[in-house]
Amino acid sequence: MKLSTWRLASKFNLVFLLVFAISIAGAGAIFNAILQQQARQIVTGNARLMMENALAIRKYTSKQIQPILPTDHNGRFVAQTVPAYSAKQSFEYLRKQYPDFFYREAVLNPTNPDDVALAWEANIVSRFQKGDEKEIVGMRDTPQGRYFYMSRPLRVTEQSCLKCHSVPSVAPAAMIRDYGDKRGFNWKLHSVIGAQVVSVPVSVPERMARNVTALMMGSLAGILLVTLVILNLMLRQIVVAPVKKLAHSADEISKGNLEVEDLPVNGQDEIAVLSGSFNRMQRSLKQAIQMLDE
Ligand code: HEC
């Protein structure tokens, strides 16, 4: 009788690999869901920080730059004194590090036509105007892909804003010359005139989550693989090799060869007990046959 060494081991490996595959797939799905949630929180946090930063730059411009810089320089309007201008410009510098983030100051009646609220932005602005929502977060499909957006209301916070946004007659002449007298006026103090909107492609948090998931899955697969190798070595040493010896001896005895060597009895495990019993059985059998022969 020929005993294949790998029979036990391959059954064992098959089951192990099956459990291995199921647990990797399950863990991957769970990790990915958790990590995506986390990545979204990180992106939301970044977006929030960027908006706060834009507000801080606006404040800095209206508190510290506007009072000392003339709005008119050699007949040209000095846009650097405009809070919205400095917020947008500085965001462009920030985008060199964060090219996936987009910032808009979407306004229903803007001074600069580039800032006009698009239909979906206008919806958000009117929600801010109606209710007391402080932040609106959502997803949006665009031809460039799915975007995550986050927005906050833009208010006319200070009296100084009205110097340029109330009526054209009080606005700097140079500004009227550059921007005209049709847009960006009749804003009221404390009213919501638009929304700050930060958008990020959804692929950004998804990519962040995927990268971490891949790393975790890779480490898990590595650990399981090492475990598999160690278990195989143990299986061979503790079960397969002794069972092979046992099978060989049993085979010889069944053919009438009672002179086979005693099996090694190492330790007290089940295999050792079995080997011990087998050795005794072989001796008893030998004695019985000797008695018969006498
Ligand atoms: C010196 C004049 C001036 C002052 C003061 C001023 N703005 Fe403006 N504001 C402008 C100009 C000009 C633009 C257009 C800038 C551009 O080209 O992007 C603008 C743009 C904006 C925008 C972007 C939408 C749009 O109209 O294009 C917002 C929002 C805004 N201002 C809000 C404010 C608030 C709030 C204050 C007060 C804290 C303020 N502004 C003070 C001149 C002014």
Side-chain angles (χ1 to χ4, degrees):
M1 186 186 73
K2 182 90 187 77
L3 188 86
S4 159
T5 325
W6 282 106
R7 235 182 240 171
L8 249 180
S10 48
K11 270 183 206 159
F12 167 83
N13 279 328
L14 194 74
V15 172
F16 188 90
L17 284 173
L18 210 73
V19 174
F20 183 32
I22 292 171
S23 47
I24 283 262
I30 294 169
F31 281 161
N32 200 43
I34 295 172
L35 289 169
Q36 280 217 13
Q37 173 97 5
Q38 250 181 9
R40 250 178 225 167
Q41 270 169 11
I42 292 174
V43 169
T44 312
N46 285 351
R48 218 170 258 147
L49 200 65
M50 285 173 182
M51 274 196 264
E52 289 295 340
N53 186 48
L55 286 184
I57 289 166
R58 292 175 133 276
K59 204 165 211 160
Y60 166 76
T61 311
S62 58
K63 295 255 187 255
Q64 301 199 18
I65 303 296
Q66 231 165 49
I68 56 164
L69 218 62
T71 47
D72 198 324
H73 180 66
N74 295 336
R76 290 189 62 83
F77 176 63
V78 184
Q80 283 76 5
T81 62
V82 173
Y85 179 87
S86 53
K88 281 190 287 185
Q89 288 291 317
S90 60
F91 198 85
E92 284 311 308
Y93 290 118
L94 191 70
R95 281 202 61 212
K96 296 213 163 58
Q97 295 298 324
Y98 295 87
D100 291 319
F101 286 78
F102 298 89
Y103 177 68
R104 291 246 312 144
E105 296 200 346
V107 170
L108 298 179
N109 168 25
T111 324
N112 184 334
D114 288 349
D115 296 326
V116 70
L118 306 172
W120 69 276
E121 292 168 331
N123 267 338
I124 292 177
V125 176
S126 67
R127 272 172 68 185
F128 281 137
Q129 284 173 334
K130 273 184 215 131
D132 48 6
E133 284 174 288
K134 290 200 169 52
E135 192 173 279
I136 295 177
V137 174
M139 298 277 186
R140 206 168 67 81
D141 283 309
T142 75
Q144 286 79 41
R146 218 165 147 71
Y147 274 74
F148 165 76
Y149 68 82
M150 145 147 207
S151 63
R152 286 192 173 176
L154 260 176
R155 282 175 202 281
V156 181
T157 45
E158 290 153 45
Q159 189 67 39
S160 69
C161 313
L162 300 180
K163 192 177 121 201
C164 301
H165 291 298
S166 58
V167 285
S169 55
V170 297
M175 175 184 149
I176 302 288
R177 208 172 45 238
D178 285 8
Y179 290 90
D181 59 359
K182 298 280 179 290
R183 291 180 311 254
F185 294 108
N186 297 319
W187 294 2
K188 301 280 177 284
L189 193 61
H190 303 308
S191 63
V192 173
I193 41 103
Q196 291 182 292
V197 184
V198 172
S199 314
V200 192
V202 171
S203 58
V204 171
E206 276 172 2
R207 195 173 55 225
M208 280 160 71
R210 243 197 333 268
N211 289 348
V212 184
T213 306
L215 196 73
M216 289 174 90
M217 291 295 96
S219 333
L220 189 63
I223 292 169
L224 288 177
L225 227 67
V226 171
T227 312
L228 182 65
V229 170
I230 293 174
L231 284 178
N232 262 290
L233 289 176
M234 283 174 66
L235 183 72
R236 247 177 120 165
Q237 185 79 15
I238 297 171
V239 182
V240 176
V243 167
K244 248 178 94 178
K245 276 198 191 114
L246 195 82
H248 175 77
S249 296
D251 205 31
E252 286 299 307
I253 293 171
S254 74
K255 288 181 202 152
N257 175 13
L258 290 174
E259 298 308 319
V260 285
E261 266 179 44
D262 268 6
L263 292 170
V265 180
N266 303 321
Q268 294 181 326
D269 63 12
E270 290 82 347
I271 302 253
V273 172
L274 178 63
S275 302
S277 310
F278 189 89
N279 290 342
R280 275 197 308 282
M281 186 190 75
Q282 180 205 353
R283 275 195 294 277
S284 310
L285 198 64
K286 217 161 135 186
Q287 277 167 10
I289 288 177
Q290 268 165 9
M291 275 157 72
L292 276 182
D293 285 350
E294 276 161 15

